[in-house]
């Protein structure tokens, strides 16, 4: 249905629910990382949510997926910084 903002709001509410099962929190956190990486671009927010997936309680598979996402986000952030610091010869 492409109601991404509404979904993101629900995911945020879920991760704040006291006693929410860890697997639900993990999925909501991952969904928010994806949301801010692809749907509502905010790489810093995406990285924050991806970092939340790096907990001792995470499975090795989830740890690896989170590490991969963080590394990708860091590369994108570095590329963004480099692109913004290039001189504008078009003016």
């Amino acid at each position: 249905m492409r109601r991404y903002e509404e979904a993101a709001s629900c995911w945020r509410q879920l991760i704040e629910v006291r006693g929410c099962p860890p697997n639900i929190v993990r999925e909501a956190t991952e969904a928010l990382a994806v949301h801010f990486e692809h749907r509502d671009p905010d790489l810093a927010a995406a990285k924050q949510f991806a970092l939340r997936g790096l907990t001792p309680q995470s499975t090795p598979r989830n740890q690896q997926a989170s590490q991969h996402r963080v590394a990708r986000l860091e590369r994108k952030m570095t590329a963004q910084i480099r692109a913004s610091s290039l001189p504008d010869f078009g003016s």
Side-chain angles (χ1 to χ4, degrees), residues 25-90:
V25 171
R26 182 191 53 77
E27 289 201 28
T29 302
E30 182 179 330
L32 283 163
V34 170
H35 174 76
F36 285 113
E37 182 177 2
H38 300 290
R39 304 285 184 214
D40 184 12
D42 181 343
L43 298 179
K47 183 180 174 184
Q48 282 184 312
F49 285 110
L51 286 170
R52 289 180 74 170
L54 297 173
T55 65
Q57 298 85 6
S58 294
T59 65
R61 183 176 181 211
N62 290 336
Q63 285 268 344
Q64 185 177 18
S66 293
Q67 289 170 342
H68 181 75
R69 182 176 306 283
V70 168
R72 183 178 62 243
L73 287 163
E74 287 176 344
R75 287 191 304 271
K76 285 183 173 186
M77 292 170 83
T78 298
Q80 199 175 58
I81 291 167
R82 285 185 182 147
S84 69
S85 65
L86 291 175
D88 184 11
F89 295 114

Side-chain angles (χ1 to χ4, degrees), residues 2-22:
R2 301 188 191 283
R3 293 167 36 192
Y4 303 119
E5 292 301 321
E6 186 177 344
S9 176
C10 291
W11 293 322
R12 282 182 184 265
Q13 289 175 17
L14 266 175
I15 63 176
E16 298 301 324
V17 171
R18 183 179 214 117
C20 186

